[in-house]
Amino acid sequence: MKESKFFAFCWFCSFFGLLVAFPEQGKWDFQLSSEMPYMPIPKSVYEGFKIYTQITCEPYEQSKESVKLKISWALIEYKCWEEYVRMSYNTQYEAFFMTPNQSKVESGLIDEHCTRGGHIVLPELKLKEPGQKMISKSRRETGKNEPQSIFTITKDGLYIFILRIDSQDSFVANVHVEMKSEQGYLSAVDWPLLPFYGAMCLVYVVLGIIWLAVSFLQWRDLLRIQFWIGGVILLGMLEKAMFYGEYQSINSTGVSVKGMVLLAEWVSCGKRTLARMLVIIVSLGFGIVKPRLGPMLHRVVGTGALYLVLACVESFLRIMHTKNDQLLVASIPLAVLDSAICWWIFTSLVQTTRTLRLRRNMVKLSLYRHFTNTLIFAVLASVVFMLYSIKTHRFAECLTDWKELWVDDAFWHVLFSTLLLVIMILWRPTNNNQRYAFTPLLDNPEDEDDDEE
C-alpha cells in the first residue's frame, strides 16, 4: 500500500511540474474585415503601459475609392485570473462585457474613412483618474507610417484590449497593435522571470567555473560520475542563458521566435534527461559500489532516450499552442515515466545502501546517506510547495495575486539547482578522490548484478 501511494505521489509531482505557461507577447499583427470585425488581445500589464495602434485599410471592391468606417475600442480589466484566462480564448464579442468582476474603458464610436493606401490614426484617450470619465480626445498628425499611442493604462491589472471596425461596405484592414512600457514589452506576469533567469544563469556560470577549477586540480583521479556532473552544469548554464535570451528578446522586440523558444525548451529537456540519468546511475552505485552497470546500462540509456523523446514532444505541443487534449496525451506518458524513474531511484538507493552496510564500507555509506537525505528533503519541499500552490492558485475561486504566479516556475529551477549543488559538494574532486571509487579488494563484485535478478 505504501509503495502504491508513493508511486501515485511521484506521478502527481511529475504531472504538476509540466504545467508551464508561455510568455505573453507585446506586438500583434492581424486583419479585420466585414466578416471578422474585431480582435481581442489579452495582456497583463503594469501601470504606465501604453497602447499603440497602426491601421491601414483598403476597400474590398476595386470600384470604390473610399469606405466609411466606425471604429471603436474597449479596454476591459478582469479582477480574477481564471476569468482572464478563460476570456482570452473567447470568440463571442458580447461575452466580453457580460462577465462579473470587471471594469472597462471605452472609446466610443470614431468615424473614419478607408482609402487605398491610407493610414488611420485614432485619437488618444486621456482620463482624469483611473475609472473616471474621459476629459479629452486628442488627435495627432495623420499620415505617419508608425504606431500611435491611443491610451495609457493607469494601474496594474489583467486586461483584454478589443479593437472593432464596422462598415456597411466590404473592407480589409491591416492592424498593428503594441503594448509597451518604459521597461519593455514583457507582461506583468512574466517580467519577474527576466531577472530570475539572468541571476540563475550567473549562478550556473559560477558553479561551472568552480567545478572546472577543482576538476583541473584533480584531473588525474576524476571519477566518471564527476564528468556527468560537469555535463549537467554545462547544460543547465546553456538552458538558463537561452531562457534569459528568450525573455530579453520578447522584452526588447515584443515578439518571440518560436524556433528559438523551441530550441531553448529542447535544451531544457536535454538537461532534465541527463540529470535523471545521473541520479539513476548514482543510486545504482555505478563507479562506487560496482565497476560497471552491465545490462543495466541499456535500461538506463533506453529510459533516458524515451524521456528525452516524450519531453521534446510535450514541449513542442505546448509551445505551438495545440489543443488541451493533445497536450494531455503527451503530458500523461511523460508524468508516468517520471514517476517510474522516481520509484526506480529510491528502490536502487535502498539496495545500494544495504550493500554498503553489509560490506561495512562506512565512508561510502555516509556519502549515500547524505545523498538519500537530500532526495528526501527535495520530496518534502516539493510536497509543501505543491500543497501551498494548489491551495492558493489552483483551488482559489478568484485568484487576485496573479503577480506571484512566476514563483510556480521559479521554484522548480531553484530546487533543481539546490540538488545539483548538494551533489557537487558530495562528489567534489579532492585529494582523496579515489576513496569513493570502486576498489576490487574492498568492494566485492559478486553483487554487481543484484539489480538484474
Side-chain angles (χ1 to χ4, degrees), residues 388 392-393 398-405:
Y388 162 77
T392 57
H393 295 163
C398 181
L399 179 60
T400 56
D401 60 340
W402 48 269
K403 292 181 183 178
E404 308 299 328
L405 288 175

Side-chain angles (χ1 to χ4, degrees), residues 148-187:
Q148 301 292 325
S149 173
I150 63 172
F151 188 70
T152 300
I153 298 175
T154 55
K155 64 175 181 177
D156 304 351
L158 305 169
Y159 293 92
I160 292 183
F161 175 75
I162 305 174
L163 181 66
R164 183 173 184 126
I165 303 179
D166 293 302
S167 177
Q168 295 181 351
D169 300 309
S170 299
F171 69 93
V172 176
N174 295 310
V175 182
H176 175 81
V177 176
E178 297 182 12
M179 292 190 188
K180 182 181 180 182
S181 68
E182 295 180 357
Q183 287 74 30
Y185 290 97
L186 265 181
S187 62

Side-chain angles (χ1 to χ4, degrees), residues 252-286:
S252 302
T253 64
V255 295
S256 60
V257 181
K258 285 193 174 181
M260 292 300 298
V261 176
L262 189 60
L263 180 60
E265 287 288 343
W266 284 352
V267 170
S268 179
C269 294
K271 183 208 72 171
R272 286 151 46 195
T273 301
L274 187 61
R276 280 156 176 78
M277 294 177 66
L278 170 63
V279 176
I280 290 174
I281 64 175
V282 168
S283 62
L284 290 172
F286 171 65

Side-chain angles (χ1 to χ4, degrees), residues 49-236:
F49 262 76
K50 291 188 175 182
I51 302 175
Y52 298 86
T53 60
Q54 181 181 2
I55 303 175
T56 58
C57 182
E58 291 187 358
Y60 185 77
E61 299 179 6
Q62 296 293 333
S63 59
K64 293 188 177 182
E65 294 294 331
S66 178
V67 171
K68 291 183 178 181
L69 303 178
K70 290 188 178 296
I71 304 176
S72 62
W73 59 263
L75 184 66
I76 308 174
E77 179 190 5
Y78 293 89
K79 306 299 181 183
C80 303
W81 174 260
E82 296 82 3
E83 289 182 350
Y84 169 73
V85 174
R86 178 171 54 85
M87 297 307 297
S88 298
Y89 298 95
N90 177 55
T91 57
Q92 297 180 355
Y93 181 77
E94 293 76 11
F96 287 104
F97 304 92
M98 298 174 61
T99 57
N101 299 321
Q102 64 159 267
S103 58
K104 60 180 178 293
V105 176
E106 296 179 284
S107 66
L109 293 178
I110 304 171
D111 294 324
E112 291 286 349
H113 285 81
C114 173
T115 59
R116 299 188 182 280
H119 299 279
I120 298 175
V121 178
L122 301 180
E124 184 175 12
L125 181 65
K126 295 182 179 180
L127 303 178
K128 286 183 179 180
E129 297 292 340
Q132 293 186 5
K133 293 182 178 180
M134 60 184 179
I135 60 172
S136 66
K137 286 184 179 180
S138 59
R139 184 180 295 274
R140 286 144 290 112
E141 181 182 354
T142 61
K144 289 187 176 181
N145 188 17
E146 60 183 18
Q148 301 292 325
S149 173
I150 63 172
F151 188 70
T152 300
I153 298 175
T154 55
K155 64 175 181 177
D156 304 351
L158 305 169
Y159 293 92
I160 292 183
F161 175 75
I162 305 174
L163 181 66
R164 183 173 184 126
I165 303 179
D166 293 302
S167 177
Q168 295 181 351
D169 300 309
S170 299
F171 69 93
V172 176
N174 295 310
V175 182
H176 175 81
V177 176
E178 297 182 12
M179 292 190 188
K180 182 181 180 182
S181 68
E182 295 180 357
Q183 287 74 30
Y185 290 97
L186 265 181
S187 62
V189 74
D190 297 319
W191 169 258
L193 289 173
L194 178 62
F196 171 77
Y197 283 127
M200 290 299 298
C201 181
L202 181 61
V203 168
Y204 271 90
V205 169
V206 173
L207 293 179
I209 294 175
I210 294 175
W211 191 257
L212 185 63
V214 296
S215 299
F216 179 77
L217 294 176
Q218 308 295 333
W219 66 275
R220 293 181 181 273
D221 299 324
L222 289 179
L223 305 176
R224 281 171 285 187
I225 289 179
Q226 291 164 343
F227 287 101
W228 280 77
I229 296 175
V232 174
I233 296 173
L234 178 62
L235 282 180

Side-chain angles (χ1 to χ4, degrees), residues 15 19 85 89 317-318 321-332:
F15 184 72
L19 304 177
V85 174
Y89 298 95
L317 294 177
R318 172 163 40 84
H321 300 286
T322 55
K323 296 180 180 179
N324 290 335
D325 54 350
Q326 295 176 346
L327 181 59
L328 194 63
V329 168
S331 300
I332 290 179

